[in-house]
Amino acid sequence: GGVPTERGTPVFVATHADALGAVLDGLPAERLDDLVLLQNGILRPWLRNRGLAPDEVSQVVLRLAADGSVLSPAAGCRSVAFGTHAACAAALLPSCRVADSEAELQREALFKLLWAAAVPLACDAAGPGADVR
């Protein structure tokens, strides 16, 4: 277990936002630029509050949907990666693309949050069995 020791090797982390502080605290400082956060939210302000520049940590904004017991790409949506290891993340996640800029990643993260808030409301309004894609 533990963090791979070779610098330059991505360290992928998928965890609840409440655990991110412990993850950062447990990662050796020299490996921070290898960190790839697989998250749903807008993390850049949180990272800045922790003293990290936006380009120090890679992030993937996940766009997945649960269909029964299977996770699959959300209809018509792709996950988006940005940072040092964005291309590696996109190679591992077939439904992922590399963002051209941090601003693009932030737009996608905001859209993801709006999407996550709107879909349950649309499902509720449409009624049982409705397809709201």
Side-chain angles (χ1 to χ4, degrees), residues 73-127:
C77 300
R78 296 179 70 187
S79 296
V80 179
F82 182 75
T84 303
H85 295 293
C88 184
L92 290 172
L93 300 166
S95 68
C96 185
R97 67 179 178 79
V98 176
D100 292 326
S101 66
E102 181 189 353
E104 181 182 355
L105 178 80
Q106 291 306 302
R107 280 191 306 273
E108 292 295 329
L110 179 59
F111 182 79
K112 162 60 178 169
L113 291 175
L114 292 171
W115 176 82
V119 167
L121 296 172
C123 289
D124 188 50

Side-chain angles (χ1 to χ4, degrees), residues 41-66:
I42 298 175
L43 295 178
R44 296 307 198 198
W46 183 85
L47 291 168
R48 282 187 192 98
N49 287 339
R50 297 279 310 216
L52 296 168
D55 59 350
E56 286 184 89
V57 176
S58 300
Q59 183 182 350
V60 178
V61 175
L62 293 172
R63 302 288 301 278
L64 301 171

Side-chain angles (χ1 to χ4, degrees), residues 3-12 27-36 56 58 83-89 92:
V3 177
T5 56
E6 185 177 335
R7 290 195 72 207
T9 304
V11 177
F12 288 93
L27 190 67
E30 66 272 8
R31 297 305 309 278
L32 282 174
D33 57 346
D34 291 324
L35 187 59
V36 181
E56 286 184 89
S58 300
T84 303
H85 295 293
C88 184
L92 290 172

